[in-house]
Amino acid sequence: MPDCKEIAALIKGWDDILVICHENPDGDALGSMFGLVRGLRSMGKRAGWYCANPLPRKFAYLVQGLSGEDFAPAHILTVDVADSKLLGDAWEKFGDGIELAIDHHSIHRPFVDVRWVDPESAATAEMVWLLLKELGAKPDIQTLGCLYTGIVTDTGCFRYRNVTPRTLRLAAELLELGAPAGDINKNIFENKNLAAVRAEVMELNTLEVFCEGKCSMIQIPRSIIESTGADEGDMDGSVGRAAAEIEGVLLFVSLKEKEDGSIKASLRATPPANAAAIAQRFGGGGHVGAAGCPLEGMDMAEARLKMMEVCEEYLKEIGSI
């Protein structure tokens, strides 16, 4: 697998570059995508972006001042995409042209020949920052903010076990160069609109604890979104964090009903549990500490029972109950 220097050498010869992130994007996907686009443009390259879903409102600052460009891409790469299934309609539109994947997921499922995958990175934004430095890009404040966003969101503001000494050093570099860390932290972790708060109260009312207190679960049916008028992107997962942090809980599951009625599960785990081990049983993936998967062909009630069953089986397998 190529390293950062080899990837930089490859991209130096490229222009008219399209950068794609995964559907239902989080802060790392968007921060990496927009940070790379901005960095490439600082080098005089033409670069654009694509995501299968609209930009969540709380991340609107990432695209501020970044104009779209209409061009036929000569080169296409993905950031923070662990599986082609996570590209949404981008796979149908651009799949045949993707030449490079940059990702940090340990369970990355190859979908292109050239891959730079580094599971030791807490966020793909770490890798993008290393790449831009190798390329000799001249990042502006907006670029630095994008990369800081990617790192701070995928580390839970530097609280998760994926944080390494390098993570902190790279984040410090971004701050030294002017990344507005305080403003970004407040925007992501503290600012909430009233509709989102009301939605979170309703989420918390669905909380269940099972498997001898080792699992917790919440449900987010569409009725919560519709009745409160909350924007899904404004709901920062604080209810999930609270449920995952209950004393003794090893596995937390959030079940969300999408607009088409399908159910998606998001999981968090505390050692010795592995969130990805659960997600993979449903065709999903992610990290040891956080993962996700679709629960195909199930309604919310069926998904709840199935996830309870699988979590119990898994915890018995690893000897935790």
Side-chain angles (χ1 to χ4, degrees):
M1 185 181 298
D3 59 18
C4 183
K5 287 188 176 182
E6 291 170 311
I7 295 299
L10 176 67
I11 292 178
K12 277 182 180 178
W14 287 4
D15 202 354
D16 294 338
I17 304 165
L18 180 67
V19 183
I20 304 175
C21 74
H22 60 73
E23 64 180 347
N24 302 311
D26 56 10
D28 189 27
L30 294 170
S32 298
M33 179 174 71
F34 288 122
L36 182 53
V37 168
R38 290 179 183 275
L40 292 171
R41 289 188 182 183
S42 77
M43 300 172 62
K45 295 182 180 294
R46 184 156 54 178
W49 69 89
Y50 184 84
C51 179
N53 296 104
L55 183 70
R57 184 164 50 192
K58 71 177 179 180
F59 291 119
Y61 67 91
L62 295 175
V63 76
Q64 187 174 4
L66 190 64
S67 60
E69 290 193 18
D70 185 15
F71 64 92
H75 302 280
I76 305 174
L77 64 90
T78 64
V79 290
D80 202 43
V81 180
D83 191 312
S84 61
K85 293 188 296 184
L86 302 176
L87 284 166
D89 67 5
W91 181 247
E92 297 178 3
K93 292 181 177 181
F94 306 107
D96 291 342
I98 298 174
E99 299 174 66
L100 168 65
I102 300 173
D103 185 34
H104 75 128
H105 293 89
S106 60
I107 59 167
H108 181 91
R109 295 187 178 99
F111 53 91
V112 293
D113 291 335
V114 183
R115 306 178 301 280
W116 177 30
V117 181
D118 180 16
E120 297 302 313
S121 292
T124 300
E126 277 191 38
M127 303 170 68
V128 172
W129 178 219
L130 292 171
L131 176 61
L132 291 180
K133 291 197 293 180
E134 190 66 37
L135 285 167
K138 305 297 182 183
D140 59 12
I141 296 299
Q142 287 78 17
T143 305
L144 299 169
C146 288
L147 299 175
Y148 178 82
T149 295
I151 293 174
V152 79
T153 51
D154 252 24
T155 61
C157 210
F158 307 103
R159 294 184 301 115
Y160 297 160
R161 288 177 173 83
N162 60 348
V163 175
T164 67
R166 189 186 76 172
T167 304
L168 297 174
R169 284 194 293 268
L170 293 177
E173 289 178 5
L174 295 171
L175 266 65
E176 287 170 346
L177 291 171
D183 293 340
I184 291 171
N185 291 341
K186 182 173 181 60
N187 183 71
I188 293 174
F189 298 106
E190 297 178 14
N191 283 346
K192 298 181 182 178
N193 62 51
L194 183 58
V197 172
R198 287 174 171 159
E200 290 179 354
V201 169
M202 296 175 72
E203 287 178 47
L204 194 56
N205 284 332
T206 72
L207 174 65
E208 297 179 90
V209 179
F210 53 100
C211 288
E212 302 175 11
K214 302 294 177 65
C215 293
S216 61
M217 180 186 294
I218 62 170
Q219 300 173 47
I220 312 174
R222 289 303 302 175
S223 58
I224 289 181
I225 304 294
E226 293 166 356
S227 64
T228 60
D231 182 321
E232 293 181 57
D234 291 332
M235 299 164 67
D236 64 3
S238 59
V239 171
R241 288 195 295 273
E245 293 165 1
I246 294 172
E247 185 178 3
V249 166
L250 298 180
L251 280 173
F252 161 71
V253 182
S254 171
L255 300 177
K256 179 182 286 188
E257 183 182 11
K258 299 169 71 174
E259 286 189 74
D260 62 4
S262 62
I263 307 297
K264 178 189 175 183
S266 297
L267 303 104
R268 295 192 180 202
T270 298
N274 181 336
I278 299 290
Q280 286 177 305
R281 300 186 183 198
F282 295 94
H287 304 285
V288 170
C293 58
L295 297 175
E296 297 176 354
M298 303 182 206
D299 60 21
M300 184 66 79
E302 292 168 332
R304 169 182 171 272
L305 292 175
K306 186 62 177 178
M307 190 57 73
M308 284 182 163
E309 175 189 326
V310 170
C311 286
E312 182 177 6
E313 289 176 354
Y314 172 73
L315 290 177
K316 286 180 179 178
E317 289 172 9
I318 65 173
S320 291
I321 57 173

